[in-house]
Amino acid sequence: MELLHSGKVRDVYADGDDLILVASDRISIYDVVLPTPVPDKGRLLTALSLWWFEQLADLVPNHVVSATDVPAEFAGRAIRCRRLEMVPVECVARGYLTGGGLAEYERTGAVSGVRLPRGLVEASILPEPIFTPSTKAPKGEHDEPISYEQVVDKVGAETAARLRQITLDIYCRGAELAADRGILVADTKIELGWAADGTLVLGDEVLTSDSSRFWPAESYQPGRAQFSYDKQYVRDWATGGGWDKRPPAPEVPAEVIEATRARYVEVYEKLTGRTWS
């Protein structure tokens, strides 16, 4: 195998006509990799993505060739995948207002060009889910929100419409399934690419604690920060300590790592109904 790319969390290897996508235990926030890994994180992300790929298979094809035909040293945290030409846009759907979307709304009254009602607060539910794409920034730089019109300029009107529809379809299906299990999906990011036959395919990961914000429905209350089953907990710890979101990132205390792992495990078990071992 040949290492093609080492990203913030995943490493990509070429293996014949396929790719081997390996999820590490690295964790990144604000596009910066933290120096302290989260044990089991790669296996958790892989297992949850595989579960979601099955739930979404009727909406959009995915890149999975095999979850078992991978090198032994990567077993449990790697997927054999089809090669895709990735779309140069981060596809994001939001059902609630938080994070960067809230900050943009407070400045402009809109998110990625989508005008929203006045008076929304932290964690407000939106009138309907919205497509809020962003750029794909080079490693070490931050993704920036862009409007739907800018997506059209990048990929053309037909592809832009398909990106928006697929992203919203995935969000709505994911939010519905998660709600049945007591979880709110505040937002999620997906990646899509073109297969060799011209098919638009879901790649990378989907609806994981790295790519989404998950909140417990039982304690949801707009107007304040929510308990999160995702890396928002680490973001809050890092910014609360005065970090300026630029490298080098601080070492993460053991108790923060342990609490983060516990949240990833808990949401995996709640969503899939399976016990993590």
Side-chain angles (χ1 to χ4, degrees):
M1 295 196 309
E2 175 190 0
L3 178 63
L4 297 180
H5 175 70
S6 185
K8 292 188 289 287
V9 174
R10 285 172 174 77
D11 300 321
V12 183
Y13 295 84
D15 187 20
D17 293 333
D18 300 330
L19 298 178
I20 305 295
L21 186 66
V22 182
S24 73
D25 290 343
R26 300 188 294 269
I27 187 167
S28 74
I29 55 173
Y30 306 111
D31 297 306
V32 179
V33 178
L34 300 181
T36 319
V38 177
D40 284 337
K41 178 171 171 285
R43 294 173 59 230
L44 283 157
L45 295 182
T46 300
L48 187 53
S49 284
L50 289 167
W51 185 82
W52 277 117
F53 282 133
E54 293 179 0
Q55 314 309 311
L56 302 168
D58 61 315
L59 294 181
V60 59
N62 60 68
H63 67 164
V64 177
V65 174
S66 173
T68 56
D69 183 15
V70 297
E73 65 265 33
F74 299 144
R77 58 190 182 97
I79 302 173
R80 180 176 293 275
C81 307
R82 287 192 275 172
R83 293 176 183 257
L84 303 176
E85 180 185 347
M86 302 309 294
V87 173
V89 174
E90 297 278 8
C91 295
V92 180
R94 301 177 187 271
Y96 296 78
L97 192 60
T98 190
L102 174 63
E104 187 181 354
Y105 168 78
E106 291 175 339
R107 291 194 311 269
T108 69
V111 182
S112 292
V114 180
R115 302 298 304 180
L116 294 173
R118 291 185 175 186
L120 300 181
V121 296
E122 168 70 48
S124 285
I125 188 170
L126 301 178
E128 61 182 6
I130 59 174
F131 178 59
T132 60
S134 66
T135 61
K136 279 189 176 180
K139 189 174 182 180
E141 299 182 22
H142 297 297
D143 297 337
E144 298 292 340
I146 56 177
S147 68
Y148 180 72
E149 290 70 26
Q150 289 172 292
V151 178
V152 171
D153 290 341
K154 281 179 174 288
V155 300
E158 181 179 351
T159 297
R162 293 182 65 191
L163 295 179
R164 178 169 62 183
Q165 190 61 57
I166 291 171
T167 303
L168 291 174
D169 286 348
I170 287 172
Y171 173 82
C172 290
R173 172 70 63 81
E176 179 183 7
L177 289 173
D180 290 341
R181 295 155 172 82
I183 302 294
L184 302 179
V185 182
D187 52 42
T188 197
K189 177 182 71 175
I190 66 169
E191 299 219 24
L192 294 157
W194 297 104
D197 62 2
T199 305
L200 197 55
V201 173
L202 179 61
D204 197 50
E205 63 181 331
V206 61
L207 287 161
T208 72
S209 297
D210 266 17
S211 65
S212 315
R213 285 185 174 90
F214 295 131
W215 300 335
E218 63 183 5
S219 61
Y220 168 69
Q221 182 180 341
R224 61 168 176 81
Q226 310 298 306
F227 181 93
S228 61
Y229 291 116
D230 52 70
K231 62 183 181 180
Q232 187 62 43
Y233 177 67
V234 183
R235 293 188 191 101
D236 293 343
W237 166 82
T239 56
W243 180 53
D244 62 4
K245 303 180 184 179
R246 293 183 292 185
E251 291 280 352
V252 186
E255 62 270 20
V256 175
I257 292 296
E258 291 167 7
T260 301
R261 181 188 179 278
R263 292 173 188 226
Y264 277 51
V265 169
E266 185 174 356
V267 79
Y268 169 84
E269 293 185 335
K270 285 180 177 290
L271 288 170
T272 67
R274 301 168 182 169
T275 301
W276 180 254
S277 59

